[in-house]
Every structure is written in C-alpha cells, then in structure tokens.
Amino acid sequence: MKRTIFLLTLISGLISASLNATTGKQGNKRLSPETFRAHRQAFITKKAELTTEEAAKFFPVYFELQDKKKKLNDEAWKKMREVKEGNATEEDYKNALTGMYDARIAIDKLEKSYFEKFEKILPYKKIYLIQKAEMSFHRELLKGMKRKGQSWNRHSKDFMHKRGEAYRKRPGNAKRDKVKEPANAPVNTATGV
C-alpha cells in the first residue's frame, strides 16, 4: 500500500512536470492544465464507469485533492532544487531530504482524509476503479511521453542500430564483425575446415 502511494505521489510530481511537456511534433504547443484535467477526468470517468451525477459530485473534491498534492510536491521539489550539489553541505542535503519525506507523509495523510470524503460520495467499488483508472492514466501518459521522445533518445533501437553500422564501417573494425564458429562445430573432413 505504501509503495502504491509512493508511486502515485511520484507520478503526480511527473504530471506537474509534464504539464510543460510539448504535445505533437509541430512547434511548441503546450498542454494547458485545463486540457490535461479534462483528459484525466474523461479517462477516469470512462474507466471507472461513473455516472454523470457521480462524476459531478466526485471530481470537484478529487481535483481539490490534486491541487493540494501538487502544492506539496512543488514545495518538496523546490527544496530539492535549492541544493547546489557542488557547494552543498550535509545540512543542506539533510534539509532537502527531510522536506521531501515530510511532503510524502503529508500527501499520504491528505489522501487518507480525502478517501474518507470519497467514501461519502461513491461506493467502494467505484473508488477502487478510480484508483485503477488513475494508475492506467499515468501509465498511458508515460508511454506517450516515451513514444514522443524516441526520435531523439540515444538509447532507442534505431539509434543504436545506426550507431553499430557506423562502427562496423570504420577501417580496421571488420575483423570484429566476423561471425565466429562455435568450438564444437562439425568439421568437414574433405577440406579440414
């Protein structure tokens, strides 16, 4: 359970960072927070099979929670960014880490208090389905970010393949490309090979 909460917290932080991510390959179009919320709401509504009435009651409270979580995450990240690694003291690192862990604990408490609000609005099955839908949404978001980044990702298969071809074309590297026969390969008695 703690691991799930930690992952959700981490993903929430990624979401706040992803609000500045570009969408599409044309220019610098950015996904607005309102558009992102609308996509998230539609995804969760569909996956959790919420009725219009349930969604109308649930999402104002849900987004209130998300806003509070974002604020806590932003404060934690601010403390982490304040540390200048080259000039940081042990006290600086301690303060940054303490702030990060305090934010995680505060987010966990906040989520627990909002769970109590959610159970007054929706049946437990729907809350469960919302949790699953939220994880699926984040997974899809990360997959989409990965797909968009493959054109410049040094570690993509295409890049590594082209890099390997360039290496083999260099003079003196042809010997390394020859396929070696296994030691226990059958020997042709006519040629001795």
Side-chain angles (χ1 to χ4, degrees):
M1 181 68 178
K2 286 184 180 182
R3 183 176 177 176
T4 304
I5 292 172
F6 170 74
L7 288 174
L8 289 174
T9 303
L10 178 65
I11 291 171
S12 295
L14 289 173
I15 287 173
S16 65
S18 72
L19 291 176
N20 294 325
T22 59
T23 58
K25 295 181 181 178
Q26 304 167 336
N28 267 340
K29 295 180 183 177
R30 296 191 184 273
L31 186 64
S32 73
E34 294 80 20
T35 304
F36 181 80
R37 277 192 177 195
H39 287 303
R40 185 186 222 179
Q41 183 172 343
F43 186 90
I44 292 172
T45 301
K46 180 179 177 188
K47 293 286 184 179
E49 302 170 356
L50 296 178
T51 65
T52 307
E53 297 80 30
E54 289 171 333
K57 291 178 185 175
F58 172 74
F59 281 107
V61 179
Y62 175 79
F63 285 125
E64 181 182 301
L65 168 64
Q66 298 307 314
D67 291 341
K68 290 179 180 180
K69 284 171 51 176
K70 183 183 180 317
K71 184 179 177 189
L72 290 168
N73 277 320
D74 290 347
E75 290 170 10
W77 279 107
K78 181 181 176 192
K79 288 187 178 199
M80 294 295 283
R81 283 190 296 272
E82 287 173 356
V83 174
K84 305 293 181 207
E85 290 184 28
N87 302 329
T89 65
E90 281 296 306
E91 190 66 26
D92 293 335
Y93 289 117
K94 177 185 174 191
N95 290 337
L97 291 169
T98 301
M100 182 183 65
Y101 290 122
D102 288 346
R104 287 182 188 168
I105 291 167
I107 287 170
D108 289 346
K109 289 179 180 177
L110 191 62
E111 286 184 337
K112 176 68 174 164
S113 70
Y114 272 81
F115 169 71
E116 293 166 1
K117 292 180 181 183
F118 295 156
E119 65 186 355
K120 293 176 183 173
I121 300 171
L122 297 171
Y124 292 109
K125 180 180 179 181
K126 296 279 181 146
I127 297 170
Y128 174 81
L129 292 173
I130 288 167
Q131 290 294 315
K132 281 184 66 174
E134 191 174 37
M135 287 188 270
S136 295
F137 178 78
H138 297 305
R139 195 176 312 113
E140 292 298 317
L141 177 71
L142 292 172
K143 282 181 187 177
M145 290 170 67
K146 182 179 178 183
R147 277 192 298 269
K148 288 177 185 174
Q150 280 184 347
S151 61
W152 57 267
N153 185 350
R154 290 177 15 130
H155 302 291
S156 69
K157 288 180 184 178
D158 188 45
F159 176 84
M160 297 304 282
H161 177 72
K162 288 177 183 174
R163 184 173 170 205
E165 285 178 6
Y167 175 79
R168 285 189 293 278
K169 290 179 183 176
R170 286 191 216 145
N173 292 332
K175 293 178 193 172
R176 295 180 190 155
D177 293 338
K178 289 186 180 178
V179 177
K180 295 182 180 179
E181 293 294 326
N184 57 357
V187 177
N188 185 340
T189 53
T191 60
V193 180

